[in-house]
Amino acid sequence: MELLLANPRGFCAGVNRAIAIVHQALERYQPPVYVLHEIVHNTHVIEELRQRGAVFVEELEEIPRGAVTIFSAHGVSRAIEERAKELGLRTIDATCPLVSKVHRRMIRLHSLGYDVLVIGHKGHPEVEGTCGQAEGPVHVLSQPVEIPGLRVTDPAKVGYVTQTTLSVDDTAELLKALRVRFPLISEPERTDICYATTNRQGAVRQLADAVDLVLIVGSKNSSNSNRLREVAELRQTPAYLIDHAGEIDPQWLAGVNRVGISAGASAPEHLVVEVVAWLQQHGAGEVVEMAGEEEHINFLVPDLQA
C-alpha cells in the first residue's frame, strides 16, 4: 500500500501567528492567560496550550477583571470588543490578518449604504465576528436556495464578503446565482477565501484523483478540514476526517492500494506523521510527497501590549 501526502497541508500563516501570540502572552504575562473561544479549531492545539496555562472560555463574563484576554484567529464583533473594555479586560487580538481584511470591507460597504451578504456557515465564529463589524442590514447565506427569499433595501446597492474557509467549488455556484439576482452586486477585487484554503483544496483535488482513499487530519469543528473531506468526496473518492491516527478504522483499508493524506490549516504536522506511522504499521510502505503550491506567506506577531 502506497501513501501519498498532499502538498501544501497543515498550518497556515494565520494559525501559526495565532498560536505564537498565545505562547508569547503566556511567557510575558504568565498563566493564566484567557482565550475567548478556541484560538484555532483543533483539539490537540487547544489541549497543548491548556497544559501551558491558557484558559479557554466561551463568555467574557467568565474572565476575571483585569485579566489578559486573547481574541481567537476567527475574529470577534465590535460588541465583544466594547464589552471587553467595559469588563476591564486587557485584550490581545489574534484575528487572522486575512479575516481582518474581510472586516474592513464589511465596514466600508456599510458606510456606503450597502446591504451586505455574508457568505458562510451560520453560527461559525468567523461569520459571527464578521456580521458584528458594522450596523446595518446583514444577511448570512450558506447555499443558493436561500437567494430567492432575500429581501434587500436596494437591489442596486448590495455587496458581499465571504468566510475565508469555504469550499471554492460551492462558493462559485452560489456567486453565480447571486450575480443573476443582483447584476450590480459589489464584489471584492480578490476572493475572500484565503490562499491556504484555496491551495489545500486544490492539492486534495489532485490527491483524490490519484488514490483509493483520502484521510484528512483535522478536528470535527474545523471548517476548512471539513471542506477538504468534501472536496475529495466530490471526486468520488472515499474520504474520512480524523482527529488523530487512533480514529482510523482498519476496515477502510480493505482493497486499498493507495492512501492519500492531507491536513486542515489548523492541524499540526506531528499528527500527520503519526497517521503515516500507523498506516506503515498496518502494511503501508513507500511515502510519496506530491508537488504543490509553495507557500511563503508569514504574518508578523505583534508586539504584545495587553
Side-chain angles (χ1 to χ4, degrees):
M1 187 166 60
E2 188 177 1
L3 303 181
L4 271 66
L5 299 182
N7 188 23
R9 62 180 180 275
F11 278 0
C12 64
V15 166
N16 274 322
R17 177 180 179 272
I19 294 171
I21 286 174
V22 179
H23 280 296
Q24 291 193 23
L26 287 167
E27 290 173 9
R28 179 162 186 169
Y29 300 107
Q30 299 302 306
V33 165
Y34 293 82
V35 184
L36 181 64
H37 309 311
E38 293 186 352
I39 188 70
V40 297
H41 284 159
N42 185 269
T43 58
H44 300 271
V45 171
I46 297 306
E47 184 55 33
E48 188 265 340
L49 292 173
R50 186 176 281 125
Q51 289 179 8
R52 288 174 177 260
V55 179
F56 295 90
V57 300
E58 290 303 312
E59 302 293 338
L60 290 175
E61 286 73 15
E62 300 175 55
I63 304 171
R65 188 173 187 86
V68 174
T69 305
I70 300 174
F71 297 143
S72 82
H74 308 101
V76 298
S77 68
R78 286 180 158 187
I80 291 292
E81 293 174 358
E82 290 302 316
R83 182 59 177 153
K85 289 179 183 176
E86 292 172 4
L87 293 171
L89 303 179
R90 301 159 64 196
T91 60
I92 298 169
D93 189 358
T95 302
C96 172
L98 297 178
V99 174
S100 296
K101 175 171 167 278
V102 176
H103 289 183
R104 290 192 294 273
R105 173 168 165 78
M106 180 83 168
I107 293 166
R108 185 168 64 253
L109 286 171
H110 269 306
S111 71
L112 296 172
Y114 280 69
D115 276 51
V116 182
L117 312 180
V118 178
I119 299 169
H121 301 290
K122 294 179 176 71
H124 189 279
E126 182 184 329
V127 171
E128 292 189 347
T130 298
C131 288
Q133 289 306 304
E135 296 178 4
V138 178
H139 315 267
V140 180
L141 289 175
S142 300
Q143 48 193 337
V145 295
E146 298 169 318
I147 295 174
L150 273 176
R151 296 292 177 266
V152 299
T153 308
D154 181 354
K157 297 193 75 172
V158 175
Y160 76 82
V161 298
T162 76
Q163 185 178 334
T164 59
T165 56
L166 296 180
S167 161
V168 174
D169 296 328
D170 290 349
T171 305
E173 287 299 310
L174 197 152
L175 292 179
K176 187 177 178 181
L178 272 179
R179 292 178 189 121
V180 172
R181 172 80 194 275
F182 303 109
L184 299 177
I185 193 166
S186 173
E187 305 195 41
E189 292 181 9
R190 298 183 63 182
T191 177
D192 291 330
I193 299 175
C194 80
Y195 79 95
T197 297
T198 302
N199 290 347
R200 280 152 189 72
Q201 289 180 17
V204 167
R205 204 173 286 115
Q206 292 182 336
L207 183 72
D209 288 343
V211 300
D212 308 306
L213 172 73
V214 171
L215 299 177
I216 303 297
V217 181
S219 293
K220 302 301 185 287
N221 63 339
S222 166
S223 174
N224 75 87
S225 299
N226 276 285
R227 303 296 80 75
L228 294 180
R229 175 184 54 78
E230 292 170 0
V231 164
E233 290 175 341
L234 282 172
R235 311 299 286 188
Q236 308 303 313
T237 303
Y240 299 93
L241 177 61
I242 57 172
D243 213 354
H244 52 82
E247 292 186 352
I248 301 172
D249 184 342
Q251 294 183 11
W252 298 344
L253 306 178
V256 169
N257 295 315
R258 274 186 165 187
V259 178
I261 304 167
S262 188
S266 49
E269 180 66 11
H270 74 81
L271 297 176
V272 173
V273 173
E274 291 167 9
V275 166
V276 169
W278 188 98
L279 289 168
Q280 289 180 326
Q281 290 169 6
H282 290 75
E286 183 183 0
V287 179
V288 176
E289 181 134 3
M290 299 184 72
E293 288 285 332
E294 292 189 20
E295 295 180 345
H296 303 290
I297 294 177
N298 289 293
F299 296 133
L300 292 175
V301 177
D303 182 28
L304 301 188
Q305 296 292 336

